[in-house]
Amino acid sequence: MRIGTSATTRINTRQYERGLRRALGGMSDDVKRAVDRTRIDVQNEARRRAPVDTGRLRSSIVSRAENSGRSVGYVVGTNVKYAAAIEYGTDEYDIFPTNKKALYWPGARHPVAKVHHPAMPARPFIRPAVEMAEIFFRANLSQVRAGRGRR
C-alpha cells in the first residue's frame, strides 16, 4: 500500500465471532498444543540463529506462553543487555571513562581518554525465527490433528 492511500471496510463482528467460536470450539485444545509447540520451535530457531562467542546469548533465549481469555500466544526473548545491539546493530560511538580520567585494559600501550567503536551491522536472530512462526504453526497443527485422529 502506498503512503496516502487508504481503504475502509466493515465487518460484522458478531457473525465473525460466532463463526470463530464454532470453528475453535472443537479444536481449541489442538490449537493450544500447536501454539505451545510453535513457541518451542521459534525459541529453538532463535537459539540456532544466535551468534555464539561464549554461548551466553544463545542459552539466555527463553519463551513463555501468554494466555488471556480466548487468545493464546507466546513471547520469545532474552534478558542479555547486548542482545538488542546484535539483533539491530549499532551506530558508531565513542566510549568514555565513567569513574576515572582515562581508559586502560590489559595489553593496552597506555591509558586513553576515549575509544572509538565502529558501527556494528545487525545480525538478527529473533526476528527471522518469529517470521517462521506461521510455517511452524501450520506443521504443528497438522501433527496435533493427525495425532488426535489416531487415538
Side-chain angles (χ1 to χ4, degrees):
M1 183 180 281
R2 291 182 294 151
I3 295 177
T5 305
S6 64
T8 305
T9 186
R10 290 179 183 253
I11 299 171
N12 182 340
T13 56
R14 286 189 202 134
Q15 184 178 7
Y16 174 75
E17 190 168 337
R18 275 194 301 262
L20 192 58
R21 280 188 200 154
R22 274 195 308 273
L24 293 178
M27 66 175 182
S28 64
D29 287 342
D30 290 351
V31 170
K32 287 178 184 176
R33 274 194 290 280
V35 168
D36 197 52
R37 289 181 183 182
T38 300
R39 172 183 65 84
I40 298 299
D41 288 342
V42 171
Q43 173 185 304
N44 290 338
E45 183 67 18
R47 285 180 176 172
R48 187 185 72 73
R49 290 173 175 267
V52 178
D53 186 15
T54 65
R56 181 170 179 233
L57 176 62
R58 178 176 280 176
S59 66
S60 74
I61 299 170
V62 295
S63 64
R64 72 173 184 275
E66 290 198 338
N67 302 325
S68 60
R70 293 184 208 144
S71 68
V72 178
Y74 56 88
V75 174
V76 175
T78 174
N79 63 354
V80 172
K81 290 182 180 180
Y82 57 84
I86 292 173
E87 180 79 17
Y88 298 104
T90 65
D91 292 333
E92 59 183 52
Y93 59 95
D94 291 326
I95 302 170
F96 297 94
T98 53
N99 299 325
K100 307 271 182 179
K101 292 183 180 183
L103 296 167
Y104 183 79
W105 57 93
R109 288 194 206 179
H110 53 79
V112 293
K114 71 176 181 177
V115 174
H116 181 76
H117 192 284
M120 186 174 77
R123 292 183 285 168
F125 56 99
I126 290 183
R127 288 177 292 163
V130 169
E131 289 171 1
M132 294 180 67
E134 186 176 345
I135 295 166
F136 291 141
F137 178 73
R138 288 175 188 258
N140 287 326
L141 188 57
S142 294
Q143 289 175 355
V144 166
R145 285 179 175 167
R148 183 176 52 118
R150 286 185 281 194
R151 287 183 190 167

